[in-house]
Amino acid sequence: MQVHPSGYYAWVKAPLSERAKANEVLSVQIKEAYTQSNNAYGYRNIHKDLIESGITVNRKRVARLMITHGLYGVGTLKKKPRHKAGNIHKAHPNHLKQCFNVEKPNEGCKPTKGFFSLSVLKVA
């Protein structure tokens, strides 16, 4: 970044904006509501709690502040399913009589029928 040093140090020494101060106060209230819910509520329920306590705030702002502070609801971090429900997949029958068992890498079997035969498969 090409920023003049005096501009950078002026930015560093500048006081916090009103919005940043309001975000700090709001984040403290969000953390209190989050701990009162036994770390279970997401941004929707936290937003409802803040509205009930008389604090007018947008739900997107609550969600953003919760993400920046690492606060997540119980149902937010779900694991992906490892398998689909139903029967286990069974291998299809080998109608072409192909040989899939090899002793060494890059070595294949000769097919019984076909217009060419492969004695050794080479990968380029």
Side-chain angles (χ1 to χ4, degrees):
M1 234 167 40
Q2 297 178 351
V3 178
H4 198 272
S6 62
Y8 170 75
Y9 288 111
W11 174 74
V12 168
K13 292 179 182 178
L16 287 176
S17 66
E18 295 298 322
R19 182 64 145 191
K21 291 176 186 176
N23 281 343
E24 287 180 359
V25 171
L26 185 61
S27 63
V28 169
Q29 295 168 344
I30 289 172
K31 286 179 185 178
E32 288 175 2
Y34 185 73
T35 53
Q36 287 176 358
S37 71
N38 294 327
N39 303 340
Y41 281 180
Y43 74 93
R44 290 180 181 99
N45 288 329
I46 297 290
H47 178 253
K48 288 178 187 176
D49 287 349
L50 293 175
I51 294 295
E52 288 174 1
S53 64
I55 300 168
T56 305
V57 64
N58 190 347
R59 64 177 172 80
K60 294 178 185 177
R61 186 175 178 192
V62 173
R64 178 177 46 84
L65 290 174
M66 285 182 70
I67 288 172
T68 45
H69 292 290
L71 307 176
Y72 297 99
V74 170
T76 305
L77 300 175
K78 291 184 180 178
K79 293 182 180 178
K80 293 183 180 179
R82 302 213 181 238
H83 58 82
K84 294 184 180 179
N87 296 335
I88 298 173
H89 177 72
K90 296 180 182 177
H92 294 285
N94 188 7
H95 294 296
L96 300 176
K97 307 291 186 229
Q98 293 176 334
C99 177
F100 295 106
N101 300 327
V102 292
E103 295 176 7
K104 298 178 185 175
N106 296 331
E107 185 177 291
C109 300
K110 292 184 181 181
T112 56
K113 292 183 179 180
F115 63 92
F116 63 91
S117 65
L118 297 173
S119 59
V120 176
L121 297 175
K122 292 187 178 180
V123 178

